[in-house]
Amino acid sequence: MIIAVDFDGTIVEDRYPDIGPERPFATETLRMLIEQHHQLILWTVREGKALEEAVAWCKERGVEFWAVNRDYPEEKMENNNHYSRKIKADKFIDDRNIGGLPDWGTIYQIITEHKSYHHILSDRYAMRHQQPPKKKHWWQF
């Protein structure tokens, strides 16, 4: 699966142009997705030195992206008459989602279990509101 991941506000807290603190479990989750052979694209507004810093920050933490701000590693703006910043991916992980950014555990569950965010939230709600089994009395079989 090809997964496009934003940097500021998603992998790290938004402190652009600086790099904020890591969001809990972000790089750990991304490393697990890479180990499961997902192709991750870093998809960010960062360019130039700010982009290089973000890529290096991720690499220091064991996250190496398949591509950065492009659809595939070899894509070159000057060689592509149809170059677009619109990334073609199966999933997008971005803090600007409608409803905001779920925690990284939920993101991992959505991707690995092939469930929608709505389905996962519905399951959690059902589990929290499930009635415990009634206690049987000694005279009941």
Side-chain angles (χ1 to χ4, degrees):
M1 180 180 306
I2 299 173
I3 304 167
V5 186
D6 181 35
F7 185 72
D8 296 291
T10 303
I11 297 174
V12 298
E13 292 179 16
D14 194 354
R15 301 281 196 282
Y16 183 83
D18 297 324
I19 295 177
E22 179 179 350
R23 288 191 170 267
F25 305 107
T27 57
E28 181 180 350
T29 303
L30 294 172
R31 285 192 307 270
M32 289 190 308
L33 292 172
I34 291 168
E35 287 172 11
Q36 294 171 0
H37 306 289
H38 294 284
Q39 294 172 322
L40 302 185
I41 297 173
L42 181 62
W43 178 51
T44 177
V45 298
R46 286 179 176 255
E47 296 177 318
K49 185 177 181 214
L51 177 59
E52 290 171 16
E53 290 171 349
V55 170
W57 185 94
C58 291
K59 191 173 184 175
E60 288 169 6
R61 288 154 182 81
V63 177
E64 293 193 49
F65 292 94
W66 179 68
V68 177
N69 283 346
R70 58 189 66 189
D71 289 320
Y72 52 91
E74 301 82 16
E75 183 179 34
K76 301 272 190 239
M77 211 176 348
E78 55 275 359
N79 296 341
N80 190 345
N81 294 334
H82 307 298
Y83 180 80
S84 170
R85 284 288 305 257
K86 180 140 177 122
I87 300 293
K88 296 163 202 72
D90 300 306
K91 302 276 185 201
F92 291 82
I93 304 173
D94 194 323
D95 62 309
R96 305 285 181 163
N97 293 329
I98 294 177
L101 183 70
D103 64 82
W104 279 93
T106 301
I107 291 169
Y108 183 78
Q109 190 177 5
I110 289 168
I111 293 169
T112 59
E113 295 179 15
H114 306 288
K115 292 183 176 179
S116 70
Y117 190 30
H118 174 76
H119 189 105
I120 289 170
L121 292 177
S122 295
D123 287 351
R124 288 180 186 171
Y125 179 84
M127 288 180 72
R128 275 193 222 121
H129 293 87
Q130 196 173 33
Q131 295 293 327
K134 291 192 177 204
K135 184 176 176 183
K136 288 190 175 189
H137 296 285
W138 63 270
W139 61 85
Q140 293 176 323
F141 294 97

